[in-house]
Amino acid sequence: MREILIVGGGYAGFYTARGLERKLRRDKVRVTVIDPRPYMTYQPFLPEVLAGSVEARHAAVSLRRHLHRTRLISGTVTEIRDSDRSVTVRPESGPDYRLNYDILVVTAGAVTRTFPIAGLSEHAFGLKHVEEAVAIRDRLLTSFDRAATLPRGPERQKLLTVTFVGGGFSGVEGFGELLSLSSALLKHYPELDEGEVHFHLVEARDRILPEVSDRPGAWVVRSLEKRGAHVHLNAQLVSAEGGHVVLSSGEEFDSELIVWAAGNASNPIVHNHTDLPVDQRGLLVVRADLRVGTETDVVADVWAAGDDAAVPDLAAGRPGAYTVPNAQHAVRQGKRLAKNIVATLRGRPAKNYVHHSLGVVATLGLGRGIFQYRGLVIKGFPAWLMHRGYHVLAIPTWERKVRVLAVWITAALYGRDVVSLASVQHPREAFVSRGNPRHGEQTTDAPSRESVPSSPHAVVGDA
């Protein structure tokens, strides 16, 4: 029996495994997916999770529920050695061990790109996983609750100040959705007024949303500013110590909630812990048919797709172009990769991956969006409907589509759910305190988020 090993259960890994399940007999091939999380995160829905427009669990697709004939291993791949056809796995518990493979698929997924900025790791949230989106939403809701009990002053002002760093799609969509949520919250807090809430979007370049052209990007800035947001272009975060934000432009302010969405970096397992060929960006060198290697020097039985693969963009029509790391490509690359593996196992040639972009669409908050396909630009409510329509069709499985639609219909009838469940991050607090009031967020049952050291090992599973 041949062993097909898939490193990462994100978009590309999930669709590859599902395609292989449907085409290969169980007694001939065993498919194994290694990922530390038991689900695939549908990342385009994370901004709506921030706003409560999509339930957190509905933005995650269970691997075990939808991959019935795939062996799933909960763990982290820490090393890939193609020289002896093996990977090293670090499980959730127990010692590391090695797994051998006949065919390897690397869909490890990118990680959040960070810089050594004072206070960043202690106070900022990322925006790449469901858990982060839930924590950001709960932090905002809790800040409103706390601010409503305080008199006007620096502490209250800090609680009502939100900062997003990064003007790409992830940052702008999350920023717009959270801005929309804060506007909706104000009607429930008569103690607060709109002028006290401050939202800051920080971008190092002279424009946001590089995926759209200049004029639509400038329109998005104007749209956000009309809603009361502060957009800082050509500015970088210098420090965030103690929640005090210092920008390279010289501006300073206190912010209770800081979200870092300043791009992705290649996964350390690909960049530093493999003998497979990588380019200067730390991405796997991949041919157009998704095999690892070059046209003249292919690595036998090793394939890759998603954010950590430098896949040639044949649709671009120019040499040296690579597909952008987004869900649109990762999903389609996973499907093509599965078909190519099946084809080669059956003695047929693999086909090149070619996908012409369907355009880009972004949500900017409830009822607001932007869409661009070449020279066609659609703004406002129609673009927002297009965003929702496209993504409810794109999220895998009918079960998830129906659940998301049900939440949207409920919200249309009864409005947003504005309950904060921040206490679930410390579930034993009520039991341990026995009803005695405590100050602050630090609890005895679990360390605070700031005190948890980051793992030095690679984490896979987001491509």
Side-chain angles (χ1 to χ4, degrees):
M1 180 181 293
R2 305 196 73 180
E3 181 75 46
I4 300 178
L5 198 59
I6 301 175
V7 179
Y11 297 119
F14 174 82
Y15 279 97
T16 299
R18 193 162 74 156
L20 293 174
E21 276 193 354
R22 293 174 175 178
K23 296 293 184 180
L24 297 176
R25 291 174 53 183
R26 184 184 298 183
D27 59 340
K28 298 294 184 182
V29 172
R30 181 169 67 174
V31 179
T32 299
V33 172
I34 306 173
D35 196 290
R37 289 178 169 82
Y39 55 81
M40 181 203 83
T41 301
Y42 190 72
Q43 291 181 352
F45 274 157
L46 292 187
E48 298 216 38
V49 172
L50 290 182
S53 300
V54 170
E55 290 289 335
R57 63 186 182 279
H58 298 165
V61 179
S62 170
L63 298 180
R64 290 193 177 275
R65 178 165 184 167
H66 299 290
L67 297 178
H68 304 292
R69 296 193 293 112
T70 297
R71 180 174 63 153
L72 299 173
I73 295 177
S74 179
T76 300
V77 172
T78 60
E79 185 179 37
I80 297 174
R81 284 287 169 257
D82 189 59
S83 57
D84 57 7
R85 296 296 183 97
S86 72
V87 303
T88 301
V89 180
R90 176 156 296 167
E92 292 300 311
S93 59
D96 294 3
Y97 61 91
R98 304 185 77 180
L99 281 179
N100 293 101
Y101 59 82
D102 297 299
I103 297 174
L104 177 67
V105 177
V106 183
T107 54
V111 297
T112 301
R113 180 184 60 186
T114 59
F115 300 99
I117 298 172
L120 181 64
S121 61
E122 292 81 9
H123 298 284
F125 291 86
L127 185 52
K128 197 169 183 63
H129 302 292
V130 171
E131 301 92 333
E132 293 171 320
V134 172
I136 291 168
R137 169 181 162 81
D138 286 341
R139 174 65 67 89
L140 179 73
L141 294 172
T142 302
S143 293
F144 268 67
D145 286 333
R146 293 169 60 193
T149 66
L150 296 174
R152 290 176 181 266
E155 186 177 358
R156 174 160 153 163
Q157 186 62 70
K158 179 180 180 180
L159 288 167
L160 297 176
T161 301
V162 176
T163 304
F164 272 66
V165 182
F169 259 75
S170 177
V172 171
E173 287 191 311
F175 184 81
E177 286 287 352
L178 213 62
L179 178 61
S180 180
L181 173 61
S182 71
S183 298
L185 284 175
L186 285 172
K187 66 181 180 182
H188 302 293
Y189 292 86
E191 306 91 341
L192 308 176
D193 62 66
E194 186 177 2
E196 293 183 272
V197 180
H198 296 279
F199 271 68
H200 297 268
L201 177 62
V202 181
E203 170 53 45
R205 291 166 292 191
D206 61 355
R207 52 163 300 177
I208 62 174
L209 293 180
E211 295 87 349
V212 304
S213 53
D214 290 344
R215 292 183 64 183
W219 175 85
V220 173
V221 172
R222 293 195 301 272
S223 174
L224 293 173
E225 290 178 337
K226 286 180 181 177
R227 295 160 61 190
H230 308 274
V231 181
H232 307 267
L233 300 178
N234 294 309
Q236 299 178 25
L237 180 65
V238 175
S239 173
E241 285 189 287
H244 182 70
V245 173
V246 180
L247 303 182
S248 59
S249 60
E251 296 170 273
E252 299 184 26
F253 49 87
D254 290 329
S255 181
E256 177 68 14
L257 176 56
I258 303 172
V259 180
W260 180 268
N264 296 326
S266 62
N267 197 299
I269 184 61
V270 170
H271 192 256
N272 301 319
H273 304 288
T274 181
D275 56 358
L276 296 172
V278 297
D279 64 13
Q280 66 276 12
R281 298 172 296 167
L283 303 179
L284 288 170
V285 177
V286 177
R287 303 178 354 153
D289 62 2
L290 304 179
R291 297 175 189 262
V292 172
T294 64
E295 294 301 320
T296 57
D297 187 16
V298 63
V299 180
D301 298 320
V302 180
W303 308 72
D307 293 351
D308 280 317
V311 180
D313 189 356
L314 301 184
R318 64 180 187 276
Y322 297 97
T323 59
V324 296
N326 61 21
Q328 190 177 137
H329 282 297
V331 168
R332 287 166 175 79
Q333 287 171 8
K335 293 178 179 180
R336 169 47 54 196
L337 202 158
K339 292 176 181 177
N340 281 353
I341 291 176
V342 171
T344 56
L345 289 174
R346 295 174 178 173
R348 299 196 302 267
K351 295 182 179 180
N352 288 339
Y353 171 76
V354 183
H355 173 64
H356 296 273
S357 174
L358 303 175
V360 293
V361 63
T363 175
L364 303 174
L366 190 64
R368 301 175 175 90
I370 187 167
F371 167 82
Q372 181 173 13
Y373 176 69
R374 297 182 181 177
L376 174 65
V377 178
I378 300 174
K379 306 171 184 175
F381 186 73
W384 176 77
L385 286 178
M386 294 173 69
H387 176 273
R388 284 203 160 183
Y390 172 78
H391 286 298
V392 79
L393 290 174
I395 191 170
T397 79
W398 279 102
E399 171 255 341
R400 275 295 178 263
K401 300 180 199 297
V402 172
R403 291 183 187 275
V404 169
L405 282 172
V407 173
W408 284 345
I409 293 171
T410 303
L413 295 173
Y414 300 106
R416 299 174 189 262
D417 192 333
V418 295
V419 174
S420 169
L421 294 178
S423 59
V424 301
Q425 298 173 38
H426 308 291
R428 296 182 59 248
E429 172 62 14
F431 171 72
V432 172
S433 67
R434 295 176 175 83
N436 294 311
R438 295 168 181 254
H439 290 287
E441 297 181 1
Q442 184 71 28
T443 66
T444 59
D445 62 293
S448 68
R449 181 183 183 276
E450 289 79 8
S451 67
V452 178
S454 59
S455 170
H457 305 291
V459 176
V460 301
D462 300 303

